[in-house]
Amino acid sequence: MERRQPIRVLFVCLGNICRSPLGEGIFKELVRQWGLSDQFEVDSAGTAGYHIGEAPHPGSRKVAKRRGLSIDDQRARQFARRDLDDFDYIIAMDASNRRDIEKMGSGKAQVFLMRDFDPEREAGAAADVPDPWGMGDAAYEETYAIIERSCRELLQHLIEKHQLRSR
Ligand code: 4NP
């Protein structure tokens, strides 16, 4: 079968230390569990440059580790204009992240909100993944739960859309 280009998915939040590193880590792990690792490239970035080069926030690392997932090796980077052409899907954690992305222009990438894929989001409810920065462990638990269930749905969507099979 013809080998197609990997599908490139970028998770974006403000700082790239709390929410989007969880998106990257969880989505990569789901892709691995489905045997689809060679069909995806997954990354994350922040619209702001406050934390460039830093590891994810201890709150995110801790909540991930409790589920057997290490995101410790990730390093924050800032979202750049070229990401709009380098990626197929950009998944913004909240509406303000999406606005900041769209202010930079448009490109090949389709831009979505993470909670566009949240199966538990009620009609009319907030579309944002709340920012846990500066909050306690419970906020990170909630963030993890929202991102995990949304990533499962996102992957299902992409498997169907691109007719992917594990190999
Ligand atoms: P994140 O959380 O966007 O989920 O990584 C934040 C991290 C840092 C800041 C804001 C939000 N900050 O202002 O430094």
Side-chain angles (χ1 to χ4, degrees):
M1 205 173 106
E2 190 191 328
R3 199 183 165 82
R4 59 177 135 196
Q5 294 286 342
I7 299 164
R8 305 199 74 207
V9 183
L10 180 68
F11 294 89
V12 178
C13 61
L14 178 63
N16 193 208
I17 55 168
C18 297
R19 293 166 294 173
S20 60
L22 287 172
E24 176 184 340
I26 291 168
F27 193 77
K28 268 189 189 154
E29 173 58 16
L30 292 172
V31 160
R32 192 192 66 73
Q33 287 172 8
W34 278 82
L36 294 170
S37 292
D38 60 348
Q39 299 183 58
F40 281 94
E41 283 178 20
V42 185
D43 194 9
S44 64
T47 56
Y50 313 139
H51 299 281
I52 294 172
E54 290 179 24
H57 188 281
S60 290
R61 285 157 56 185
K62 197 158 111 187
V63 75
K65 197 149 286 172
R66 261 203 293 280
R67 281 132 174 120
L69 181 70
S70 174
I71 59 169
D72 297 1
D73 291 341
Q74 293 185 33
R75 292 295 175 266
R77 75 164 175 93
Q78 189 165 15
F79 182 82
R81 170 71 188 82
R82 65 167 187 284
D83 290 322
L84 285 159
D85 286 312
D86 284 352
F87 286 85
D88 301 297
Y89 299 99
I90 294 177
I91 311 297
M93 290 293 161
D94 65 33
S96 117
N97 305 147
R98 182 165 67 178
R99 268 195 305 279
D100 289 339
I101 291 164
E102 289 176 343
K103 262 190 236 155
M104 296 181 77
S106 60
K108 176 182 76 173
Q110 285 180 262
V111 184
F112 291 98
L113 288 171
M114 181 84 273
R115 296 194 82 173
D116 287 340
F117 301 96
D118 181 357
E120 292 181 26
R121 186 183 146 206
E122 316 222 330
D128 294 347
V129 178
D131 190 348
W133 194 64
M135 298 173 74
D137 285 354
Y140 284 87
E141 291 286 346
E142 172 68 3
T143 296
Y144 190 99
I146 295 170
I147 294 174
E148 192 198 24
R149 65 188 189 237
S150 302
C151 278
R152 285 186 188 281
E153 194 81 6
L154 170 64
L155 181 56
Q156 277 304 329
H157 172 81
L158 294 180
I159 286 172
E160 281 164 33
K161 180 169 174 194
H162 294 274
Q163 300 185 314
L164 301 179
R165 307 235 181 292
S166 62
R167 55 182 176 211

